[in-house]
Amino acid sequence: MVVIVLTGYNRITETELMPYYMFFLGALILVTGLSELQKDRKGFWGYMNIVISLYLFSLFPYRVSY
């Protein structure tokens, strides 16, 4: 929901919000991966979601500083 609101705000005001999209997308993917692991589905996609979210979080400081 946050990503949809930020997208609408970006379209109206034409501001640069890409780092925040990446942050909230990473948070969403992290929650999805953790919920997969808590459901005792210790398969490939739960761990892959966590790795992808950590990658997005590692890019966040670089995108904010530009």
Side-chain angles (χ1 to χ4, degrees):
M1 184 70 179
V2 174
V3 174
I4 294 171
V5 170
L6 285 175
T7 303
Y9 179 76
N10 187 24
R11 293 290 180 200
I12 294 169
T13 62
E14 304 212 358
T15 58
E16 182 59 38
L17 296 174
M18 183 59 76
Y20 303 106
Y21 294 151
M22 289 174 47
F23 177 77
F24 286 118
L25 182 63
L28 176 69
I29 293 173
L30 179 65
V31 168
T32 303
L34 291 175
S35 69
E36 286 290 319
L37 292 179
Q38 285 181 348
K39 291 179 184 177
D40 291 330
R41 292 191 223 166
K42 300 196 184 312
F44 174 74
W45 290 111
Y47 293 111
M48 184 57 85
N49 283 340
I50 292 173
V51 169
I52 291 170
S53 68
L54 292 176
Y55 176 72
L56 288 174
F57 287 141
S58 70
L59 292 178
F60 180 68
Y62 297 115
R63 295 287 299 185
V64 170
S65 64
Y66 285 111

